[in-house]
Amino acid sequence: MFPQNKNLKSFARELRSKPTRQENRLWYEFLRRYPIQFNRQMIIMNYIADFYCAKANLVIELDGSQHYTREGTAYDIARTEVLNSLSLEVLRFSNLDVDNNFVGVCEEIDLTVRKRMEQLACPED
């Protein structure tokens, strides 16, 4: 388990109770029944991951328009670097990806989970 900023607990709970349409779709139509457990709005350090799979060391982020500003992009780069330093892989999809290519998003998540599980089971020397 990673250190958690306990001050984010109520905000994470609020995000779980008011997900975006795309987060709802990905959760209810794919991740909730996925054979490997995912959690929603998981606190990792000082961040809240949209979706987190502990067994695959994987974070999935769904990005709305605010992520495509100069400030949003810089924040996401820094955040990804921190998460990568914890041996977490970060998969990012735009909300448009979820809306327009849902099957492709699900396929990419599935392939990434399988790859990560394989890597974690057989670490390279």
Side-chain angles (χ1 to χ4, degrees):
M1 191 61 126
F2 301 103
Q4 296 183 335
N5 179 341
K6 301 294 184 192
N7 295 325
L8 294 175
K9 200 170 191 171
S10 63
F11 186 48
R13 189 176 303 118
E14 180 181 335
L15 290 172
R16 269 192 302 277
S17 71
K18 297 177 183 177
T20 66
R21 182 173 47 82
Q22 292 83 4
E23 288 171 342
N24 253 350
R25 183 173 187 199
L26 187 58
W27 177 250
Y28 286 105
E29 294 182 30
F30 185 66
L31 294 177
R32 185 173 74 153
R33 290 185 197 90
Y34 193 76
I36 312 264
Q37 182 180 355
F38 275 84
N39 297 96
R40 297 181 299 155
Q41 307 304 335
M42 180 67 149
I43 302 170
I44 303 171
M45 306 282 288
N46 291 315
Y47 304 106
I48 301 173
D50 290 337
F51 301 99
Y52 170 69
C53 178
K55 287 190 176 181
N57 282 354
L58 179 65
V59 168
I60 299 172
E61 291 293 321
L62 300 186
D63 295 343
S65 59
Q66 73 277 15
H67 291 269
Y68 299 102
T69 64
R70 185 185 338 229
E71 297 82 12
T73 300
Y75 177 82
D76 287 344
I77 289 169
R79 173 187 168 119
T80 297
E81 287 175 1
V82 169
L83 295 173
N84 288 163
S85 77
L86 300 170
S87 298
L88 296 172
E89 182 167 340
V90 179
L91 270 182
R92 289 189 168 281
F93 300 99
S94 72
N95 285 340
L96 287 174
D97 291 332
V98 175
D99 289 339
N100 298 327
N101 187 21
F102 187 73
V103 171
V105 167
C106 296
E107 287 173 350
E108 186 170 346
I109 292 169
D110 182 54
L111 287 171
T112 302
V113 169
R114 291 171 187 266
K115 178 185 82 174
R116 296 286 294 169
M117 297 289 290
E118 198 173 286
Q119 289 171 343
L120 294 169
C122 303
E124 296 177 21
D125 296 317

